[in-house]
Amino acid sequence: MLHRALLVLIMFLIAAPASAMAEDVILVGGLFAESGPAAFVGTPSRLVAEMAVEEINAAGGVLGKKLKLIIYDTESDANLALRNARKLVEQDKVLAIIGPTSTGSGMAMKQYIEGRGVPVLMTVGGDPVIAGGRFGPYKWTFKVPQRTSTAVRKIYTHLKAKGVTRIALLTATDGFGKDGAEQLQKLAPEFGLNVVASEVMDAKGNDFSAQAFKLAIAKPEAVIVWTIGPAGAIASKNFHTLPGQKPLIIQSHGQPDPKFVELAGPAAEGVLMPGTKIMIPAELSGSDPQRALITKFLAEYARRGLDRQFPINTHSGYAYDAVLLLKDALTRAGKADPEALRQALESAKGVVGISGVFTIGPEDHNGLDTDSLAMLMVRNGKFTLAK
């Protein structure tokens, strides 16, 4: 009996420190495309998520505990995103997840996440993850980047103010492009815009001159290109080489990136696109609630040398904002509990982030309006505020 009692005591003493350590941290999962086609977004997203967590932990953590990120590379693969989401939930026992990077990966894991009741702050561009209806419930799913409809409204407001009435569309065949095509068509009449022609493009293609020629025949005043990555720059170059008068080219809110300017070359000049205010820090007014945070973020980003490897683009703050929203929700929830955290995320009000000021509600799991975006123009190879 004495031997058994001593054995139990020893096992307790061995287990106690591990248990205490587990209680000192809040486990958060991270899913980022650090390889594959979306790595240009996924890798810097991981780095800024880690930056935000380090800043929070250095300031004392949340609820007296440190945040600990457990990160997996989705390799830009939707199936792997789902498998890694399962691993984070079932093996790592995370409280919440940040990511993934792309809309397709987000949709691949959404049903599983909803079924398991795990709060997720996705850093994807497309609306379907929080659209409801045929896309399924989104009780546990939140999204940091602006909704597609928000970006479309920003573009259309600008075009209406400029007196534009005839537009054409060139949209990608992937999830992001289809989502854009739907919103662009749906909202056009509300702004007095007539879609005179539309074409589709393979986001992995390298020449869209045929589509550009067909759209130009319809004589639109402006063409909206809805894709992310190199395809947008290629499309701008294709339109630039057309003979005669050329339509105004507008890109999606996923394109503001020095890489776009580099790839498009002279064809980037004069191109418009909505983007986050991080692209124009010098043009923000002193009263802008985001200015102080953006300035601080840019300074730390540069101090770490990240700007040399991953120049600032419109995606740069998404994962950072996800961590800020998580911290705010945990603080208000008062405990590291999934349902309490979900309810707190759903009632976030006035949370200042890099991408905007978030006010989330039960019907809107994004919380950003058109005022969170700036209408940008490429001028002399730089992003400036469009006039």
Side-chain angles (χ1 to χ4, degrees):
M1 289 294 292
L2 180 60
H3 175 74
R4 183 179 299 175
L6 285 172
L7 182 60
V8 170
L9 179 60
I10 291 170
M11 291 178 65
F12 174 80
L13 291 173
I14 292 173
S19 176
M21 285 183 63
E23 291 177 359
D24 286 338
V25 298
I26 297 173
L27 300 178
V28 179
L31 294 174
F32 304 112
E34 297 185 68
S35 55
F40 73 101
V41 175
T43 302
S45 293
R46 172 184 63 82
L47 293 170
V48 298
E50 291 174 337
M51 186 171 93
V53 167
E54 288 173 20
E55 291 175 352
I56 290 169
N57 287 343
V62 189
L63 304 178
K65 302 178 181 181
K66 300 295 180 69
L67 296 179
K68 181 181 178 181
L69 277 174
I70 300 175
I71 297 173
Y72 294 117
D73 178 10
T74 66
E75 300 178 20
S76 304
D77 182 280
N79 292 325
L80 184 56
L82 172 58
R83 291 200 296 274
N84 284 340
R86 288 180 179 274
K87 190 184 298 184
L88 285 170
V89 173
E90 298 170 21
Q91 175 181 302
D92 301 312
K93 310 295 183 184
V94 298
L95 173 67
I97 297 174
I98 293 170
T101 305
S102 65
T103 303
S105 292
M107 289 303 293
M109 58 182 269
K110 179 185 167 186
Q111 184 177 4
Y112 170 75
I113 289 300
E114 289 289 328
R116 294 297 298 237
V118 179
V120 179
L121 287 152
M122 295 192 180
T123 54
V124 306
D127 272 11
V129 293
I130 57 168
R134 71 180 190 274
F135 299 109
Y138 55 95
K139 180 179 179 180
W140 296 88
T141 307
F142 298 81
K143 160 179 143 65
V144 176
Q146 285 83 357
R147 301 185 70 139
T148 301
S149 56
T150 302
V152 170
R153 287 182 182 278
K154 188 70 177 184
I155 293 170
Y156 282 176
T157 298
H158 183 83
L159 292 181
K160 183 177 181 180
K162 295 297 181 182
V164 172
T165 59
R166 293 171 57 84
I167 64 171
L169 310 178
L170 177 57
T171 57
T173 54
D174 58 13
F176 181 77
K178 289 177 181 177
D179 185 36
E182 181 177 349
Q183 293 299 322
L184 287 162
Q185 291 279 6
K186 176 183 175 181
L187 295 173
E190 183 180 324
F191 291 83
L193 297 170
N194 180 26
V195 180
V196 297
S198 63
E199 292 286 332
V200 296
M201 63 195 293
D202 181 352
K204 298 177 182 177
N206 55 21
D207 180 36
F208 312 112
S209 53
Q211 292 97 318
F213 180 75
K214 289 178 184 177
L215 293 176
I217 291 175
K219 299 190 181 305
E221 297 165 86
V223 176
I224 301 172
V225 180
W226 208 267
T227 187
I228 58 174
I234 294 169
S236 283
K237 292 169 74 172
N238 292 149
F239 280 104
H240 187 69
T241 58
L242 290 173
Q245 186 173 357
K246 300 170 182 60
L248 175 67
I249 302 300
I250 303 167
Q251 298 277 346
S252 79
H253 59 312
Q255 283 294 6
D257 187 327
K259 195 68 177 178
F260 169 83
V261 178
E262 176 190 331
L263 294 175
E269 194 68 13
V271 172
L272 296 174
M273 60 192 77
T276 53
K277 296 177 184 178
I278 198 172
M279 302 303 298
I280 49 165
E283 298 186 61
L284 298 180
S285 69
S287 60
D288 192 302
Q290 293 176 250
R291 182 173 179 174
L293 180 63
I294 288 175
T295 301
K296 173 177 171 288
F297 175 90
L298 291 174
E300 180 61 17
Y301 195 84
R303 188 190 72 78
R304 292 170 178 248
L306 301 180
D307 56 331
R308 294 191 295 272
Q309 188 177 4
F310 302 103
I312 287 293
N313 60 72
T314 200
H315 305 275
S316 296
Y318 294 154
Y320 189 90
D321 287 345
V323 177
L324 293 186
L325 285 165
L326 184 66
K327 175 183 180 266
D328 171 78
L330 279 169
T331 301
R332 288 184 294 104
K335 56 182 176 180
D337 171 77
E339 175 58 25
L341 175 59
R342 187 200 68 78
Q343 290 184 25
L345 283 169
E346 198 172 75
S347 59
K349 285 184 174 60
V351 180
V352 178
I354 303 299
S355 309
V357 180
F358 294 85
T359 296
I360 301 173
E363 304 302 319
D364 179 13
H365 276 200
N366 170 240
L368 296 177
D369 207 341
T370 54
D371 61 0
S372 66
L373 290 167
M375 202 64 194
L376 308 173
M377 173 182 279
V378 179
R379 188 180 292 116
N380 298 321
K382 304 290 183 182
F383 287 99
T384 62
L385 190 63
K387 307 299 182 185

